[in-house]
């Protein structure tokens, strides 16, 4: 995998002191936020725990890691020059190329001078007297900032479930979300992969090609649609780049902010033959647009069953052993857990060196010195891959000791589950913004337009505060409560809350079950625009304790 060289000299100034804004995280969100801060003329520091920019794409280097949104969509649109110049090589970009892209962005927009790598933010404490945040880092620095923007990512805090005996294991173990940079050679190794979400599904076919034997420990079978990945079609690229702005604008009008080629028809009002043809076409096309086959797939169980049965039939056709095919066939709602996009996943189970081990009715009992035990049987392994996902959406935020007004921690404020206004701000935490936070469309969209929309909204909000002499902004409790109710109401009208997904926090023992993403990109954007147009309706805007801060804010 191509390694990106980072010139750490460019980021070597000693942090500390006072700035207008601190940004946490150097993924897509943090980099663009920093660029907008520069545009506002504000001083900003960006802290990043990793040794390079990239966020998710820095950490997730497992074999086969690639985006499940097509390259021409999974990229920034804020700069027409950037989107015209950058050339993606594949229909779905591999992790290494996305990482190169983000490094290019960091250079092209002169961001590195304000980025502090290898620096984890440990605490952010709000001081009501000064109306400022103090940010404390793992390098022992303390920075005072007017604004604190959490660009910590939705899927950044890895989840390794507690397995008895893990420390006894004599072989090697890896988490897909924190993969060694030098790569891993599984040649002649007996490998166990635990987990069959996107990370498992992408890595399993490649690990199977190397390992002497691969055991896949499956708790819940997953729906996955073939990617049909390949070199990016230059004609498609030319056509989109000829009118990129229009392409982007159209996609923003889609439910998930991504081109799913929506069919407005109902699956239930379509003949079985037409339905079959529609599903077949989408299977052949590949990827997430499978979910756009019919308008009621995510709203009606009966409609969804038709898509589910179509995929099960495909599995039966691909997998030679009927018993294994039935074990791989999911029984849940298609799309309820994130739909996966694969290259050769189901076919991998036709290989003689691959064994599927069902752990749904009988969990992994323990990890032993030489492998792991299920149903009393020990599977001898040289390596274990945890493809067990993330403490999604809230994990990275709650790892930081964030304390707002009255010293109240975010952990306390969110004890019953995250509560935000628009997913971007929380009562009691003035001037703290969460990019693609819980309560915003985030993971149920193409992340990049969602990130850009949040960053631009936050930048506009800060400019408004500067222009009008406001020192602090925070939501009202009434607006936040109403928003949380609305997020739940919208989700409740869909099939999403019907399975144990990470959208609900159900993958982490003890995590409150709250449906976190907001469903519907266009209405969400409309709501955010309305809020801003009405002078930030639903927010309290507070003037400074003295004139000084207003001067500071408006100096850009
Ligand atoms: P996911 O989608 O959360 O998948 C994690 C997988 O790990 C899933 O199959 C889990 O089964 C399985 N898992 C978790 N804990 C256990 C235990 N204790 N025993 C057995 N199996 C377990 O994470 P990914 O990294 O694949 O993907 C995350 C997102 O990244 C993805 O949705 C895309 O948006 C990109 P379960 O389903 O919980 O039964």
């Amino acid at each position: 995998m191509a390694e990106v060289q980072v010139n750490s000299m460019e980021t070597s100034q000693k942090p500390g002191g006072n700035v207008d804004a601190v940004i946490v995280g150097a993924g897509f969100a943090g980099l663009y936020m920093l660029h907008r801060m520069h545009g506002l003329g504000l001083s900003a520091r960006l802290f990043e725990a990793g040794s390079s920019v990239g966020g998710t794409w820095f950490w997730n280097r497992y074999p086969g890691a690639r985006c499940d949104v097509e390259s021409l969509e999974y990229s920034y649109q804020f700069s027409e020059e950037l989107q015209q110049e950058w050339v993606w090589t594949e229909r779905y970009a591999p992790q290494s190329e996305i990482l190169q892209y983000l490094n290019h962005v960091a250079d092209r927009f002169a961001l590195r001078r304000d980025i502090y790598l290898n620096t984890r933010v440990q605490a952010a404490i709000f001081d009501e007297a000064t109306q400022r945040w103090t940010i404390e880092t793992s390098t022992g620095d303390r920075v005072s900032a007017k604004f604190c923007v959490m660009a910590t990512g939705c899927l950044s805090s890895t989840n390794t479930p507690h397995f008895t005996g893990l420390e006894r294991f004599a072989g090697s173990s890896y988490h897909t979300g924190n993969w060694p940079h030098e790569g891993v050679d599984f040649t002649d190794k007996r490998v166990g992969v635990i987990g069959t979400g996107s990370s498992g599904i992408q890595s399993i076919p490649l690990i199977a090609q190397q390992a002497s034997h691969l055991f896949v420990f499956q708790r819940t079978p997953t729906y996955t649609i073939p990617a049909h990945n390949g070199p990016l079609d230059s004609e498609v690229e030319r056509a989109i780049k000829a009118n990129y702005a229009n392409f982007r604008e159209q996609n923003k009008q889609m439910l998930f902010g991504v081109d799913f080629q929506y069919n407005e028809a109902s699956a239930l009002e379509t003949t079985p033959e037409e339905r079959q043809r529609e599903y077949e076409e989408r299977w052949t096309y590949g990827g997430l647009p499978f979910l756009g086959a019919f308008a009621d797939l995510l709203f009606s169980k009966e409609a969804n069953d038709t898509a589910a049965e179509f995929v099960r039939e495909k599995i039966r056709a691909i997998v030679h052993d009927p018993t294994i095919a039935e074990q791989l066939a999911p029984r849940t709602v298609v799309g309820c857990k994130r739909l996966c996009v694969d290259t050769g996943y189901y076919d991998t189970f036709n290989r003689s060196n691959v064994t599927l081990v069902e752990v749904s009715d009988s969990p992994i009992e323990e990890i032993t010195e030489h492998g792991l035990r299920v149903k009393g049987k020990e599977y001898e392994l040289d390596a274990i891959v945890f493809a067990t996902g993330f403490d999604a959406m809230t994990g990275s935020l709650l790892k930081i000791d964030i304390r707002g007004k009255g010293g109240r921690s975010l952990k306390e404020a969110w004890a019953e589950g995250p509560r935000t206004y628009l997913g971007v701000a929380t009562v009691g935490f003035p001037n703290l913004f969460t990019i693609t936070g819980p309560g915003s469309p985030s993971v149920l969209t193409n992340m990049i337009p969602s990130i850009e929309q949040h960053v631009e909204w936050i930048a506009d909000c800060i400019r408004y505060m500067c222009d009008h002499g406001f020192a602090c902004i925070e939501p009202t409790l009434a607006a936040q409560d109403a928003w949380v109710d609305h997020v739940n109401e919208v989700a409740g009208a869909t099939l999403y809350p019907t399975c144990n997904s990470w959208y609900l926090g159900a993958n982490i023992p003890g995590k409150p079950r709250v449906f976190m993403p907001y469903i519907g990109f266009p209405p969400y954007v409309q709501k955010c625009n309305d809020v801003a147009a009405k002078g930030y309706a639903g927010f309290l805007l507070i003037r400074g304790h003295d004139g000084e801060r207003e001067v500071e804010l408006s100096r850009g």
Side-chain angles (χ1 to χ4, degrees), residues 155 161 163 194-199 219-220 337-338 387-390 502:
L155 295 160
F163 290 111
I194 304 174
T196 52
S198 291
S199 307
R219 189 165 70 179
T220 310
K337 290 189 180 196
R338 174 118 177 168
T388 44
F390 300 88
W502 54 258

Side-chain angles (χ1 to χ4, degrees), residues 139-399:
T139 49
D141 292 298
R142 289 161 74 90
V143 184
S144 167
K146 188 81 214 160
F147 299 100
C148 184
V149 184
M150 293 296 174
T152 42
C154 296
L155 295 160
S156 311
S157 185
T158 57
N159 166 44
T160 303
H162 174 74
F163 290 111
T164 310
L166 176 57
E167 67 292 340
R168 275 195 313 233
F169 183 56
S172 324
S173 60
Y174 310 93
H175 193 291
T176 48
N178 190 5
W179 201 257
H181 288 201
E182 61 281 11
V184 181
D185 184 2
F186 290 115
T187 307
D188 296 333
K189 297 269 193 306
R190 295 161 302 177
V191 183
V193 174
I194 304 174
T196 52
S198 291
S199 307
I201 271 165
Q202 290 186 333
S203 58
I204 283 165
L206 292 171
I207 296 174
Q209 288 170 22
Q210 267 191 352
S212 62
H213 202 94
L214 172 63
F215 297 90
V216 176
F217 297 91
Q218 173 190 269
R219 189 165 70 179
T220 310
T222 310
Y223 294 99
T224 173
I225 309 296
H228 302 305
N229 187 37
L232 186 62
D233 183 328
S234 54
E235 267 310 297
V236 172
E237 182 184 12
R238 196 199 46 73
I240 288 177
K241 285 189 170 176
N243 201 348
Y244 223 145
N246 191 40
F247 175 72
R248 301 285 200 181
E249 205 40 57
Q250 277 174 4
N251 297 344
K252 282 195 220 168
Q253 302 313 317
M254 309 282 178
L255 183 65
F256 299 117
V258 65
D259 184 10
F260 271 14
Q261 298 148 35
Y262 285 101
N263 177 5
E264 293 300 322
S266 150
L268 300 177
E269 290 164 14
T270 304
T271 65
E273 297 72 31
E274 280 172 41
R275 233 172 20 217
Q276 186 71 12
R277 197 177 53 220
E278 185 71 31
Y279 290 140
E280 198 64 60
E281 269 175 23
R282 286 173 187 261
W283 184 267
T284 306
Y285 178 79
L288 297 175
F290 183 79
L291 276 181
F294 293 103
D296 45 359
L297 288 188
L298 293 168
F299 297 89
S300 151
K301 173 76 169 63
E302 220 185 326
N304 194 282
D305 283 344
T306 65
E309 189 50 26
F310 175 87
V311 180
R312 286 194 288 266
E313 277 301 319
K314 286 290 180 194
I315 298 169
R316 290 174 193 127
I318 296 168
V319 179
H320 304 157
D321 181 324
T323 308
I324 299 174
E326 281 319 307
Q327 286 176 334
L328 285 169
R331 300 286 154 189
T332 47
V333 162
V334 185
C336 185
K337 290 189 180 196
R338 174 118 177 168
L339 187 63
C340 297
V341 179
D342 72 285
T343 299
Y345 176 69
Y346 293 128
D347 193 35
T348 298
F349 292 89
N350 291 325
R351 295 176 66 106
S352 58
N353 72 331
V354 175
T355 303
L356 180 67
V357 184
E358 257 292 325
V359 298
S360 55
D361 52 350
S362 174
I364 293 165
E365 285 157 30
E366 61 169 344
I367 295 186
T368 65
E369 189 182 346
H370 299 296
L372 59 79
R373 196 186 309 280
V374 178
K375 291 182 199 152
K377 179 176 174 182
E378 187 177 13
Y379 293 84
E380 293 204 352
L381 303 171
D382 301 304
I384 299 176
V385 173
F386 293 98
T388 44
F390 300 88
D391 182 354
M393 304 202 69
T394 55
S396 301
L397 286 167
L398 295 179
K399 265 189 187 166

